Amino acid sequence: MDDYLAGLSTEGINEDTRNIDLCSTEEMVAMINRQDALVAGAVAAEQQHIARAVDLIYQCFKKGGRLIYLGAGTSGRLGVLDASECQPTFGVSPEMVQGYIAGGDTALRCPVEGCEDSEADGRNLADSLEVGETDVVVGITASGSAPYVLAALRRAKERGSVTIGVCTNAHSRLEALCDVTIAPLVGPEVISGSTRMKSGTAQKMVLNMLTTCSMIKLGKVYGNLMVDLKASNRKLEDRAKRLIIHATGVDPACAGRALEAAGGHVKLAILMIKSGLDAPSAGALLERCEGRLAQAIREAEQGGVH
């Protein structure tokens, strides 16, 4: 038996759920809910580490670098999920935030046995992506010990990348390989060892913070509106119009016309309405302001448009 794994808090027996198999359905649901309620506090205890990681990611983004998630099993799937949602939410390229799972895309749907134990696959991934000094590589592993993740992080560090670890156990093997380790201590799972539960919830919360805060710092958000959303389907077009209405106070018809003139770009449409500029002029102003809508609006109001 692996003494390291045996000593992990996430592998322990949860005394509060020991009799869950004898409970009624409502009692089971309540029991799981009580355990889930502990996760937010565990994540809150890691706020300083999360903030440090966000600042490192932001600095790399400013240099044109990438954020690369990698993990195995549930951890890998959560990384792929968070990465895939950045493109429609913040209007970034698919290369900017990437997610990889041990075993490849097949492992997103079906378990691929033994893949998380392959150090060679982890090293090869880092090399194939040509990670470097402007990139951030985030290794996600509940135990903090998946060989695939550790090997990838080790190789990424050798190549000069910033390395960040996300796990749910203290003093994990990630710490020796990472510039920052984020470790919400969620304790034993509802079902012993089922880290898709509290550990997975904590990891998703952390990853959401990493990307969301980084994108806010890049100017992808105006107030609390995701103004770099691209209206690529009917649902997103409706959402885009509502965002424009919230930001400017115009009626739906005006919002629709501005969105069309802006080529479906919410941020550009808002600036056009608030400044009175046409699309090319508003676009040039946004570019000068590095995509920061609040700054562009201020410059337009102050007559700083050329």
Side-chain angles (χ1 to χ4, degrees):
M1 184 172 67
D2 189 324
D3 289 340
Y4 175 83
L5 292 175
L8 299 178
S9 65
T10 52
E11 295 294 321
I13 304 299
N14 193 324
E15 294 298 328
D16 292 332
T17 61
R18 185 179 285 275
N19 297 318
I20 194 170
D21 62 327
L22 303 177
C23 291
S24 69
T25 304
E26 288 190 5
E27 288 170 338
M28 289 181 195
V29 171
M31 196 173 284
I32 292 173
N33 183 245
R34 285 195 296 272
Q35 290 293 309
D36 285 344
L38 303 174
V39 175
V43 173
E46 290 295 296
Q47 286 181 78
Q48 287 189 341
H49 292 146
I50 296 169
R52 174 61 179 151
V54 167
D55 286 338
L56 290 171
I57 293 166
Y58 169 62
Q59 291 300 325
C60 285
F61 278 160
K62 286 184 66 178
K63 298 173 187 174
R66 301 167 295 174
L67 170 59
I68 295 168
Y69 289 135
L70 52 92
T74 297
S75 298
R77 293 182 188 100
L78 290 169
V80 173
L81 172 65
D82 195 62
S84 67
E85 291 179 341
C86 285
Q87 185 178 0
T89 303
F90 300 113
V92 299
S93 73
E95 290 77 26
M96 188 172 176
V97 185
Q98 302 177 32
Y100 296 91
I101 182 172
D105 287 354
T106 299
L108 290 172
R109 292 182 176 272
C110 304
V112 179
E113 298 300 329
C115 58
E116 73 174 59
D117 294 329
S118 177
E119 295 185 1
D121 285 354
R123 287 193 298 271
N124 291 340
L125 176 65
D127 286 334
S128 67
L129 294 173
E130 298 182 341
V131 298
E133 294 179 359
T134 60
D135 298 319
V136 178
V137 178
V138 179
I140 316 162
T141 161
S143 68
S145 66
Y148 168 88
V149 174
L150 297 180
L153 287 169
R154 187 175 295 109
R155 185 68 182 123
K157 196 169 188 65
E158 290 170 356
R159 296 180 64 99
S161 299
V162 172
T163 52
I164 295 169
V166 179
C167 67
T168 49
N169 283 280
H171 311 303
S172 73
R173 292 170 178 169
L174 287 173
E175 294 185 359
L177 299 173
C178 295
D179 297 294
V180 180
T181 301
I182 302 165
L185 303 182
V186 298
E189 295 287 358
V190 169
I191 305 302
S192 179
S194 182
T195 52
R196 69 185 181 86
M197 301 189 77
K198 288 193 295 182
S199 290
T201 301
Q203 289 171 336
K204 187 177 192 305
M205 291 174 70
V206 170
L207 301 186
N208 284 167
M209 290 181 184
L210 296 183
T211 46
T212 302
C213 294
S214 300
M215 295 299 172
I216 291 170
K217 290 173 72 70
L218 284 173
K220 299 290 183 182
V221 174
Y222 173 64
N224 64 351
L225 306 179
M226 53 181 191
V227 291
D228 262 322
L229 172 147
K230 298 291 179 61
S232 57
N233 60 40
R234 289 182 181 177
K235 181 190 76 173
L236 292 180
E237 184 177 344
D238 181 67
R239 182 178 293 162
K241 290 177 183 177
R242 284 185 278 111
L243 289 171
I244 293 167
I245 292 167
H246 283 308
T248 65
V250 299
D251 60 47
C254 180
R257 290 193 298 270
L259 185 64
E260 183 177 359
H265 197 305
V266 174
K267 181 186 286 184
L268 183 59
I270 292 171
L271 181 57
M272 291 166 62
I273 292 170
K274 283 188 167 286
S275 67
L277 296 170
D278 59 19
S281 300
L285 177 57
L286 269 177
E287 187 173 348
R288 287 202 304 275
C289 295
E290 298 182 334
R292 300 179 185 280
L293 180 55
Q295 180 182 341
I297 291 170
R298 283 196 303 272
E299 290 200 14
E301 290 174 343
Q302 294 168 1
V305 180
H306 304 293

